[in-house]
Amino acid sequence: MKTSKGLVAGFWISTALFALQMSFTAYAQLRLPQVAAAFVHLGFPAYFRIELSWAKFAGVAVLLVPTVSARLKEWAYAGFAITLISALIAHFSMGDGPNAWGWAAGTGVLWALSYFFFHRLHPHTVAI
């Protein structure tokens, strides 16, 4: 089946932006004290911040490497969805404003675009 260049371009642009955003947040969670303080504010233990960062880096690698199976990419998308939804719930439960949860919401839009284009390019992939 032939795929359009626009579909492929849409996938790679949205996926690259999503990967950059997730990589930035993973780096920030590992290196920036104000981000570590936000995890404390949300009630998460320090090890969770580190574990989450490395999981994000692994998920980004899975999405960007073309030879990785579509099934594994599905799992990476599922992990990212859980992460983003959990971040929103955590911020909302603490009464944080848009300045705190806006990153997760914006990244969720990039996730949705990337996932949409992924499924347009791989229509026979079974969703988890």
Side-chain angles (χ1 to χ4, degrees):
M1 182 170 126
K2 187 174 171 146
T3 57
S4 75
K5 290 180 183 180
L7 193 61
V8 172
F11 169 75
W12 281 111
I13 290 169
S14 62
T15 302
L17 291 172
F18 176 69
L20 283 170
Q21 179 66 10
M22 292 309 287
S23 296
F24 171 75
T25 61
Y27 172 81
Q29 289 167 356
L30 289 172
R31 306 296 284 170
L32 300 179
Q34 62 269 35
V35 177
F39 270 75
V40 171
H41 163 72
L42 294 171
F44 295 119
Y47 71 83
F48 178 70
R49 175 179 51 85
I50 295 164
E51 177 184 312
L52 182 61
S53 297
W54 288 107
K56 285 180 179 183
F57 285 133
V60 165
V62 166
L63 292 184
L64 293 179
V65 174
T67 57
V68 172
S69 73
R71 171 86 47 174
L72 191 54
K73 289 180 188 286
E74 278 286 343
W75 280 101
Y77 278 115
F80 283 129
I82 292 166
T83 298
L84 293 167
I85 291 167
S86 296
L88 288 170
I89 291 169
H91 285 295
F92 292 152
S93 69
M94 295 303 291
D96 293 340
N99 61 326
W101 54 260
W103 282 97
T107 305
V109 171
L110 292 173
W111 175 91
L113 286 169
S114 176
Y115 191 64
F116 169 79
F117 284 116
F118 173 75
H119 270 282
R120 293 294 307 255
L121 290 172
H122 302 92
H124 300 296
T125 303
V126 177
I128 299 172

